[in-house]
């Protein structure tokens, strides 16, 4: 059976990092006979430049017909002046919402080889392995009404709406608990229930859902405290579940615990585990086109795709081990470089992963 993957490189460093992930996927697909088939499409600024919209109908049709989607990154200064409705980021948000990809998994794992690359003390982060489960298709990102209006006194007022229905909270809570059952059986739900009614409901519903999972320990934390705890003692966490915007913010913070945001993959899943996979970092326009970006988050996103959508666990394990192998061999892109290691560019890092992978397949 073939597995159709739509590849959306997007903007900035997107095409460079995607090229490396494709090298890796090609090797596992051929050698392990996975039957992966690739088709490329446009999203973000790259789509806007051709179609005048960041998520054109062609791409909508492609992603609907796909088994999985691999995405690079969207956005850049070139499109910042555009109306918000056609900015590259809208393409990504449209993709998430069109496909109902409500469950966003953002694992933050510290590779032991990178303990020195984190800005935090090695003892605070060594052995770190947490999973942020971010609600991805609701909350303030999508709530209506939204906009900028002119008040009677002539002053402008910007407004957005934080909304969650019980069913939206329930399904993301179930995702988090199920993931925790496969990990260390702990869920910490992050909210601002002391101030926001919407997240008070969040806390109630997550608590109710938690009763179905007696083997998982549930705790709750206000988002401000969670931000502090993430940098103070991140290893206290196993699974963190939270709303769209809190998850956006906390996952960037968690990324830095691992040494570089260039290391963090993500999966965005619908109710049937169809998924879109992307690194959590952005398009990094400042380094785009220079061949220096770290492709590992994208390569690890490809591994997540094999694991979560295609259930190809061995292939996923092998890719993850190959990333570790490339790090063991001393290769580092600029973002994770430290003295005594070998600084390499994007393509060389991809090649190092491929070499480690081939080594493991031919053992
Ligand atoms: C992310 C990004 C996106 C988000 C942007 C690019 C729309 O920051 O995936 O975390 O805010 O969700
Ligand atoms: Mg973000």
């Amino acid at each position: 059976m073939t597995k159709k993957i739509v590849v959306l490189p997007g903007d900035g460093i997107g095409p460079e990092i995607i090229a490396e992930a494709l090298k890796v996927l090609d090797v596992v697909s051929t050698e392990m006979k996975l039957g992966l088939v690739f088709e490329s499409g446009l999203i973000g600024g790259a789509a806007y430049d051709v179609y005048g919209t960041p998520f054109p109908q062609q791409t909508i049709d492609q992603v609907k017909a796909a088994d999985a989607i691999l995405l690079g990154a969207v956005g850049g200064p070139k499109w910042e002046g555009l109306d918000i409705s056609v900015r590259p980021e809208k393409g990504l948000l449209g993709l998430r919402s069109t496909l109902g990809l409500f469950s966003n998994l953002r694992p933050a794992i510290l590779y032991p080889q990178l303990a020195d690359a984190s800005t935090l003390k090695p003892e605070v982060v060594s052995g770190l392995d947490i999973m942020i489960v971010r609600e991805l298709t609701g909350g303030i990102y999508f709530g209506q009404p939204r906009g900028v209006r002119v008040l009677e006194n002539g002053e402008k007022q910007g407004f957005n709406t934080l909304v969650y229905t019980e069913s939206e909270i329930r399904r993301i809570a179930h995702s988090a608990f199920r993931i925790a059952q496969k990990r260390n059986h702990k869920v910490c739900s992050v909210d601002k229930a002391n101030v926001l009614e919407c997240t008070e409901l969040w806390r109630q519903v997550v608590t109710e859902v938690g009763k179905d999972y007696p083997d998982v320990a549930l705790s709750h934390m206000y988002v401000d405290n969670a931000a502090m705890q993430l940098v103070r003692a991140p290893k206290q966490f196993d699974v963190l579940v939270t709303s769209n915007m809190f998850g956006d913010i906390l996952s960037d913070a968690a990324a830095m615990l691992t040494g570089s945001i260039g290391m963090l993959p993500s999966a965005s899943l619908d109710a049937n585990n169809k998924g879109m996979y992307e690194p959590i970092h952005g398009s990094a326009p400042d380094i785009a086109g220079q061949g220096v970006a770290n492709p590992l988050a994208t390569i690890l996103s490809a591994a997540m795709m094999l694991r979560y959508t295609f259930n190809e666990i061995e292939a996923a394990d092998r890719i993850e081990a190959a990333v570790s192998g490339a790090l063991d061999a001393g290769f580092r892109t600029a973002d994770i470089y430290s003295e005594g290691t070998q600084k390499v560019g994007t393509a060389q890092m991809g090649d190092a992963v491929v070499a480690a992978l081939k080594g493991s397949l031919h053992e």
Side-chain angles (χ1 to χ4, degrees), residues 74 89 92-93 96 106 134 136 141 248 252 278 280:
V74 298
E89 290 77 4
L92 181 56
L93 297 173
R96 291 170 179 173
R106 300 190 158 191
R134 170 188 177 194
L136 202 60
Y141 269 54
D248 179 45
D252 267 32
E278 57 175 328
I280 84 149

Side-chain angles (χ1 to χ4, degrees), residues 160-220:
N160 288 88
T161 308
L162 173 60
V163 277
Y164 271 112
T165 59
E166 288 180 87
S167 56
E168 284 176 314
I169 303 168
R170 204 168 287 123
R171 64 183 183 177
I172 192 69
H174 278 294
S175 287
F177 283 110
R178 284 194 200 116
I179 287 163
Q181 284 183 317
K182 294 190 189 155
R183 297 172 45 99
N184 290 326
H185 299 259
K186 287 200 304 187
V187 168
C188 177
S189 171
V190 176
D191 61 40
K192 189 71 185 174
N194 51 342
V195 179
L196 305 172
E197 289 83 352
C198 180
T199 75
E200 196 182 9
L201 178 69
W202 175 282
R203 187 176 283 219
Q204 282 164 14
V205 175
V206 172
T207 304
E208 274 168 36
V209 173
K211 295 189 181 132
D212 294 349
Y213 301 86
D215 56 328
V216 178
L218 171 64
S219 60
H220 303 273

Side-chain angles (χ1 to χ4, degrees), residues 86-100:
V86 289
R87 277 201 216 137
E89 290 77 4
K90 269 282 173 217
L92 181 56
L93 297 173
L95 172 56
R96 291 170 179 173
S97 107
T98 302
L99 295 184

